[in-house]
Amino acid sequence: MALTEDEAAVYDRQIRLWGVEAQKRLRDAKMLLIGLDGLGAEICKNVVLTGIKSLTLLDDQHCCDHDQMAQFLIAPDSLGHNRAEASLQRARQLNPLVEISACTDSIDSIPDEYFHQFDLVCICGYTKNAMIKVGTICHQANIKFYYGNVYGFCGFFFTDLIHHSFIEEIPQPKKNDRSTLDSKNLKTETIIKQNSIDYVEINQALQVDYKSFPASRLRRTSRVYFLMKVIDELHQRNGTTRTDNMIDISALEHIRNELFGDDSEKLLPSSYLQNCQGKLNPICAIVGGILAQDVVKAISAREAPVNNFFFYDGNKSEGVVDELR
């Protein structure tokens, strides 16, 4: 189905960037976003502006004081209201062409079949058990899956697109062109290449043992990976399902020392534990922007999406993609 005149006018600049066919795929896609914390708000904003067909916001939590720090979709007078419903008005104002709805159920009360209506599911701010539950359902049903979280100065997301095919535009020097001998006058042509990636599901990626890494591989591994493992273990022991609450630093240090032993300070310096509180707005913006950009790549089937994990370390202003399998 062709784009309408209104759609062509609104999305003119991005159509010039990734083409009409990619925009049509976005216009036909249905997405579920679970968790409307600061990271979820950034993802919501960016995805809505691209012109997706529909977005369902799911959150059973109520707005509280710390939401005012990073959740810009929630109005100041919405304290005590459901986060998904409180985010609706401003989200709809971003792009009236996108169908946006809210669901206030908890993910534990939703049947597996509920997820089958969506092309892509993204979950933010939940702990390991919830992440694995939703990720497993999506993998088995061939639904694209993203999980993201922010811990103070650090953040990350995980991608499982099962088997994903896409096209890449690769510039290369023109053949039989004498100007190729002169780098200043180099002429290039764009080659369209079909490619594909096989992904692993979240449960398999989390079972990877860092102790099996060779020394060179271990040095390349982001400290955010080890921070994620420590915080996941803390929430596992406390039986919590959300990561919004403030964390006891002494408890984190105790778990870090249990998990990593003599390598604790080398793998995860204490400064990371001291800077992992809350959902900081700039980190949510960075991680949410990159995650949303990757969602566009996944839905439009243009360019290679992230394979596996993306870690952002605000202490170093450094982002890395890491494949754990």
Side-chain angles (χ1 to χ4, degrees):
M1 183 177 177
L3 297 175
T4 65
E5 290 186 7
D6 288 343
E7 290 172 329
V10 170
Y11 306 131
D12 176 68
R13 293 180 65 184
Q14 57 201 51
I15 289 173
R16 295 171 188 267
L17 177 63
W18 53 58
V20 173
E21 291 305 315
Q23 189 63 46
K24 286 181 181 178
R25 293 189 187 99
L26 284 166
R27 193 269 313 271
D28 294 337
K30 299 178 180 180
M31 176 176 169
L32 172 65
L33 177 59
I34 306 172
L36 271 296
D37 58 6
L39 178 60
E42 286 287 349
I43 296 167
C44 174
K45 175 200 71 176
N46 293 322
V47 169
V48 166
L49 290 175
T50 63
I52 198 168
K53 176 180 175 58
S54 69
L55 178 65
T56 300
L57 310 178
L58 189 152
D59 200 317
D60 65 338
Q61 300 291 302
H62 292 86
C63 306
C64 55
D65 289 334
H66 62 71
D67 286 320
Q68 304 292 328
M69 296 173 58
Q71 223 291 23
F72 52 81
L73 294 176
I74 294 175
D77 59 356
S78 295
L79 290 178
H81 294 242
N82 175 270
R83 287 204 300 194
E85 292 179 334
S87 301
L88 270 180
Q89 182 179 0
R90 290 183 174 180
R92 286 171 172 165
Q93 290 173 349
L94 291 170
N95 190 346
L97 296 178
V98 178
E99 303 167 16
I100 308 176
S101 58
C103 176
T104 61
D105 296 333
S106 70
I107 58 174
D108 292 328
S109 65
I110 294 176
D112 295 1
E113 292 74 22
Y114 175 80
F115 297 93
H116 296 174
Q117 62 184 296
F118 301 102
D119 301 295
L120 187 146
V121 173
C122 178
I123 177 171
C124 304
Y126 282 76
T127 53
K128 182 178 177 180
N129 288 344
M131 169 177 57
I132 291 174
K133 175 187 175 180
V134 177
T136 300
I137 293 171
C138 291
H139 191 88
Q140 294 174 349
N142 200 32
I143 300 168
K144 298 175 177 64
F145 172 76
Y146 283 81
Y147 169 74
N149 218 330
V150 166
Y151 303 132
F153 285 15
C154 300
F156 71 92
F157 67 83
F158 173 84
T159 308
D160 177 12
L161 307 180
I162 305 93
H163 176 80
H164 182 66
S165 298
F166 57 94
I167 60 172
E168 290 182 287
E169 295 184 358
I170 304 174
Q172 64 179 30
K174 282 189 175 182
K175 295 180 179 180
N176 302 322
D177 190 341
R178 292 181 180 179
S179 65
T180 57
L181 300 176
D182 182 0
S183 59
K184 294 182 179 179
N185 298 315
L186 181 66
K187 294 182 180 179
T188 62
E189 58 184 353
T190 300
I191 303 299
I192 306 297
K193 182 180 179 182
Q194 186 76 30
N195 212 333
S196 64
I197 300 175
D198 288 314
Y199 289 75
V200 298
E201 59 182 305
I202 183 64
N203 196 27
Q204 182 179 342
L206 291 176
Q207 289 176 356
V208 172
D209 186 1
Y210 78 92
K211 294 178 182 177
S212 64
F213 293 171
S216 58
R217 173 71 170 85
L218 193 60
R219 285 194 297 270
R220 296 199 310 271
T221 303
S222 173
R223 287 169 173 171
V224 183
Y225 166 72
F226 300 105
L227 178 63
M228 176 188 74
K229 292 180 73 68
V230 170
I231 293 179
D232 280 345
E233 181 63 24
L234 176 66
H235 288 298
Q236 191 90 353
R237 296 182 185 187
N238 292 342
T240 51
T241 59
R242 305 296 288 264
T243 61
D244 297 328
N245 297 329
M246 300 300 283
I247 300 173
D248 182 356
I249 296 177
S250 62
L252 285 178
E253 290 179 340
H254 178 72
I255 293 174
R256 179 199 64 172
N257 296 337
E258 277 189 22
L259 293 179
F260 308 138
D262 295 337
D263 294 328
S264 293
E265 192 64 27
K266 181 175 70 173
L267 297 178
L268 185 60
S270 297
S271 59
Y272 281 77
L273 303 179
Q274 295 163 1
N275 295 331
C276 70
Q277 303 283 10
K279 313 284 183 180
L280 298 185
N281 208 348
I283 308 302
C284 289
I286 293 169
V287 177
I290 297 172
L291 195 160
Q293 177 185 358
D294 211 69
V295 166
V296 171
K297 291 180 181 180
I299 294 175
S300 65
R302 288 185 63 89
E303 306 303 327
V306 167
N307 184 1
N308 215 270
F309 276 101
F310 170 81
F311 296 108
Y312 180 75
D313 186 343
N315 299 281
K316 298 180 177 180
S317 298
E318 176 184 84
V320 296
V321 175
D322 201 348
E323 186 176 348
L324 302 173
R325 60 171 68 211

